[in-house]
Amino acid sequence: MLDINAIFAPGGVLSQHIAGFRTRAQQVEMAQAIADTIAKHQILVAEAGTGTGKTFAYLAPALLAGGKVIISTGTKTLQDQLFNRDIPTVRAALGIPVTVALLKGRANYVCHYHLERSLQDTHLSFINRDEIHYLQLIERYASRSQSGDKSGLSEVPENAAIWQNVTSTRDSCLGSECPSYKKCFVMEARKQALTADIVVVNHHLFFADVMLRDEGLSELLPACNTVIFDEAHQLPETASLFFGESISTGQLLDLARDAKVEAVQAAGDFTGLPDAIAAMEKAVRDLRLTIAEENTRLSLAAAMQNSGFSQALGNILEKLTTLVKLLESQAERSEGLENCRQRAAAHLYLLQRWRDETEMQEHVRWVEVYHHALQLNATPLSIAEIFQRQMAASPRAWIFTSATLSVKKDFSHYNNEMGLTAAQTACWESPFDFAQQALLYVPPGLPEPQQRNYTDQVVQAALPVLRASRGRAFFLCTSLRAMQRVHELLQATEDFDFPLLLQGQGSRSNMLERFRALNNAVLIGSQSFWEGIDVRGEALSLVIIDKLPFAPPDDPVLAARIDKMNHEGRNAFMEYQLPRAVINLKQGAGRLIRDETDRGVLMICDPRLTTKAYGKQIWQSLPPMKRTRDLAEVERFFAV
């Protein structure tokens, strides 16, 4: 049996099989710690700085240990990278014949039943020439594809409206009652996952299943020896989402759409059903109209202040109750109508629970408002106890890893939030020489971030640095409003002739391709570009962060958690808000140095880094870069 040192050593199996592989002490230590954790069925929380090579550090011991392994990632991009590239590479190097399966959420697979329904339905409300063309492409793809994974059909855009009509949701899946059950792509993916040694999922899928027993993982977990969470810093957010409850106007409108199709095809002689569906649909649209804002989050109290909100909610409950009764009377006429009955009853139950205060005592009730839709959420005040219960079910190894989990190597914030009281923790610094490769610049003279013209002054401070770096920059903002303002100001600057790219002008991957190709661009982004981005070389030589990424204090979930902690006599700012901001900042700062030959400047514009007592704790959590407040030093750095 190969040991860890022999695998990672110079001349070892990895260096023999992987071009350019280099032994790093941090990677070897991390791999050994993971091997020990797996052998002893323990819990490890491991932070590994950029360049450690953490993917190979957990893959090698996981493959060597044998048994079943679930690897959960923060993004579908990393999921695909692991499945298509990293696992095959390590498997070939180690010569271990493990089987691997990729499992995604059901919305990623074509559904034969809904595809058939869409092909038969001549009244699809959104139908246009493009969508008809896409529907034909999807029909051909479904007839020849082995997996039915929509990522395999690049000719149909990922965000095309037609996908909603040819994929299933947890609500609309007919399960074993489906006439196409035997050839179902989702069931096939689950079957492969059940027999595979290594199963690659993402966090959303993992938690959707753990809580909802929905995506096939509930059958996988009992047989699983090891669970590895990569990009584990995202787990508190994802777990909060799935450990809570939510119901959206979108789900109710989807129900109305599907019920209409089923009513025409299976109960055309029953005239009461279309009227009840239309009444429920109108009530749902009326609820959205009671709130004028969009892309915002409101506490329950704030939502109730909107005229007509409470009445509109009551109206939906009334119309949905009527619809449930009518569907009950017709449900036996088709599997589709029975499915609509079950969904309508489940939606009614969730709406009633959300409105009932006694049912939701340990939860924060809040409303998220989108452009056309609205979602009612109930989020637990703490996820620690719920997650502990999931982990205690049977003995196995649990590994949580990311480049950003600690504050100055202290993991207590993360461990407390996730309920990981029994976890071992370990931290490995990046092997990069940050003192030589990078400079941290905090410009002098900027006002406090709450000042009205703060963003304008940030741009003024950034202009000479952008000129010195000759573009080649990410300008990362903490809000969409600041991002738009930065773009507006740079566009209006007369002698500023570097190409500007603004988040939203294309897909993230498309924008990154353009950024790399231009080689002197300034990409202005918000949350999407703070993490999971890898631009190596000179194309990215400057990262500007407009201010410290504290979550907005008016966020209803954050506000309720802060109240709870302060009420318990704890310091919510130091225990919760500050660590979260540090982890976020480390993610943004981590975009800069991606390789041992990279050089660059990290410019953090927030004066609180030097004026507040907690500022020292923040910069001490960043990689050990040389620090300066002198613009001339920044200019000299770029002149080299």
Side-chain angles (χ1 to χ4, degrees), residues 592-632:
L592 183 64
I593 304 296
R594 306 297 301 172
D595 199 286
E596 54 205 10
T597 58
D598 282 359
R599 288 180 82 251
V601 170
L602 172 65
M603 177 178 177
I604 302 176
C605 299
D606 197 320
R608 291 174 294 183
L609 209 53
T610 57
T611 59
K612 300 290 184 192
Y614 59 76
K616 187 175 183 185
Q617 206 169 333
I618 295 174
W619 61 253
Q620 284 181 340
S621 297
L622 294 171
M625 309 175 188
K626 189 178 177 196
R627 301 186 306 279
T628 186
R629 306 205 67 191
D630 182 1
L631 177 60

Side-chain angles (χ1 to χ4, degrees), residues 478-547:
T478 47
S479 71
L480 291 170
R481 187 183 296 140
M483 179 186 87
Q484 296 289 354
R485 182 67 181 150
V486 168
H487 182 249
E488 199 180 292
L489 290 166
L490 289 178
Q491 234 179 359
T493 303
E494 278 184 19
D495 56 342
F496 190 80
D497 52 6
F498 302 109
L500 292 178
L501 302 175
L502 178 67
Q503 177 182 314
Q505 288 174 340
S507 70
R508 191 168 83 153
S509 54
N510 171 263
M511 290 190 72
L512 285 171
E513 270 173 46
R514 284 164 63 201
F515 180 81
R516 289 187 185 102
L518 285 162
N519 216 37
N520 67 339
V522 178
L523 190 155
I524 305 155
S526 177
Q527 203 54 50
S528 316
F529 286 91
W530 281 68
E531 60 177 276
I533 303 284
D534 193 13
V535 179
R536 296 172 189 225
E538 290 191 349
L540 179 59
S541 299
L542 169 64
V543 171
I544 301 171
I545 292 175
D546 70 336
K547 61 179 176 182

Side-chain angles (χ1 to χ4, degrees), residues 70-92:
I70 294 176
I71 302 173
S72 180
T73 71
T75 59
K76 279 188 280 192
T77 311
L78 181 56
Q79 205 184 347
D80 287 334
Q81 181 189 308
L82 276 164
F83 181 72
N84 295 317
R85 196 181 77 195
D86 296 338
I87 296 175
T89 300
V90 176
R91 177 175 60 185

Side-chain angles (χ1 to χ4, degrees), residues 561-563 565-566 570-579:
R561 285 179 175 164
I562 289 170
D563 281 352
M565 292 175 89
N566 289 337
R570 294 155 67 191
N571 184 332
F573 179 78
M574 294 305 288
E575 277 186 53
Y576 188 72
Q577 289 164 279
L578 182 63

Side-chain angles (χ1 to χ4, degrees), residues 221-463:
L221 263 176
C224 165
N225 303 77
T226 305
V227 178
I228 299 170
F229 291 107
D230 199 343
E231 297 176 319
H233 62 279
Q234 296 180 8
L235 289 180
E237 199 70 33
T238 311
S240 290
L241 184 72
F242 286 103
F243 290 170
E245 292 177 9
S246 67
I247 175 78
S248 73
T249 55
Q251 285 172 281
L252 292 162
L253 293 176
D254 285 349
L255 167 66
R257 181 196 67 204
D258 294 346
K260 267 186 233 175
V261 174
E262 294 295 342
V264 169
Q265 293 178 1
D269 57 344
F270 185 69
T271 53
L273 204 46
D275 291 344
I277 294 166
M280 192 273 283
E281 199 170 11
K282 182 182 183 307
V284 170
R285 295 190 194 282
D286 287 346
L287 178 70
R288 172 63 191 87
L289 294 173
T290 62
I291 297 178
E293 303 103 309
E294 54 184 65
N295 298 320
T296 189
R297 293 175 160 201
L298 302 171
S299 64
L300 172 65
M304 289 296 187
Q305 283 170 5
N306 285 271
S307 169
F309 180 84
S310 182
Q311 190 180 339
L313 189 59
N315 194 29
I316 292 180
L317 285 164
E318 186 187 312
K319 298 293 186 275
L320 195 53
T321 303
T322 304
L323 181 60
V324 169
K325 284 177 183 157
L326 292 177
L327 284 167
E328 277 169 358
S329 73
Q330 304 298 308
E332 62 190 24
R333 298 177 72 168
S334 79
E335 297 97 339
L337 279 172
E338 168 57 20
N339 172 261
C340 289
R341 180 201 67 76
Q342 289 173 12
R343 285 159 69 187
H347 293 345
L348 181 61
Y349 170 73
L350 280 177
L351 279 167
Q352 287 168 333
R353 268 176 68 81
W354 193 83
R355 210 172 64 157
D356 183 355
E357 193 171 345
T358 53
E359 291 277 354
M360 291 279 127
Q361 279 181 340
E362 285 303 303
H363 290 70
V364 190
R365 287 177 292 162
W366 55 286
V367 180
E368 185 142 27
V369 190
Y370 304 99
H371 184 49
H372 291 300
L374 174 152
Q375 182 161 300
L376 308 177
N377 303 289
T379 304
L381 281 163
S382 167
I383 59 167
E385 299 78 13
I386 309 170
F387 191 55
Q388 271 175 339
R389 283 200 297 276
Q390 304 304 328
M391 291 177 68
S394 61
R396 65 174 61 88
W398 296 82
I399 290 142
F400 301 77
T401 183
S402 166
T404 56
L405 292 171
S406 75
V407 177
K408 284 174 62 184
K409 301 185 181 176
D410 177 4
F411 291 86
S412 54
H413 158 73
Y414 185 81
N415 289 356
N416 291 341
E417 195 170 7
M418 291 297 294
L420 305 177
T421 46
Q424 313 275 325
T425 61
C427 189
W428 289 278
E429 298 281 5
S430 166
F432 299 154
D433 185 355
F434 278 93
Q436 292 300 314
Q437 291 177 252
L439 188 64
L440 169 61
Y441 173 53
V442 180
L446 282 175
E448 291 287 307
Q450 64 272 25
Q451 298 287 323
R452 256 192 66 206
N453 66 344
Y454 178 74
T455 303
D456 297 40
Q457 295 210 38
V458 162
V459 171
Q460 284 309 307
L463 277 169

